[in-house]
Amino acid sequence: MHEWYTRGGGRLTMAQLRGICRDWHHRDVWACGPAGLLEQAERHWRRTGLRDRLHVERFRPDVTSGGRVTFTVSGRHADADGATPLLAADTRQCAAPPLRPEVPPASRRSISI
């Protein structure tokens, strides 16, 4: 396992990822983070023709004005203002426990960024 801290190393780049995990192109990747990192990852995997191996989770709406959000798997709804992370909006408005990001099965070779 390799941990990357933005404070010490800056935002992770795709070139740095290739140096950390040389066989990245043989793995499924779960990415969650700032919009800039996710956009960079999507461009990178699209250019390499491996877009189907990249799984992205966004915790903020893509709009700044906010609106009603539907969580696909649970069917739950929450109102988000566009500045609040979606998990926080879900926790504030729903009596059920907050949604948890899907964790890849341990038996699969994967990368989480």
Side-chain angles (χ1 to χ4, degrees):
M1 182 168 107
H2 183 91
E3 295 180 347
W4 185 274
Y5 295 96
T6 304
R7 182 174 292 171
R11 183 174 287 166
L12 180 69
T13 67
M14 296 305 103
Q16 291 163 324
L17 177 64
R18 288 191 299 269
I20 292 168
C21 183
R22 297 192 191 284
D23 67 345
W24 65 270
H25 53 286
H26 294 294
R27 298 174 181 257
D28 282 321
V29 176
W30 278 258
C32 174
L37 171 69
L38 298 178
E39 291 162 6
Q40 183 185 83
E42 287 173 325
R43 278 192 305 274
H44 177 74
W45 264 264
R46 193 172 25 257
R47 275 196 307 263
T48 60
L50 299 170
R51 180 61 182 92
D52 61 323
R53 290 186 173 258
L54 178 65
H55 312 277
V56 175
E57 292 183 331
R58 297 179 191 277
F59 294 116
R60 292 188 187 270
D62 285 336
V63 295
T64 56
S65 61
R68 188 112 175 118
V69 177
T70 301
F71 295 92
T72 306
V73 174
S74 69
R76 291 179 3 200
H77 304 281
D79 293 313
D81 60 15
T84 304
L86 292 179
L87 288 179
D90 176 61
T91 302
R92 276 197 327 250
Q93 297 178 34
C94 297
L99 297 173
R100 302 274 185 247
E102 179 183 333
V103 177
S107 62
R108 295 181 80 177
R109 293 174 42 129
S110 63
I111 303 170
S112 295
I113 58 174

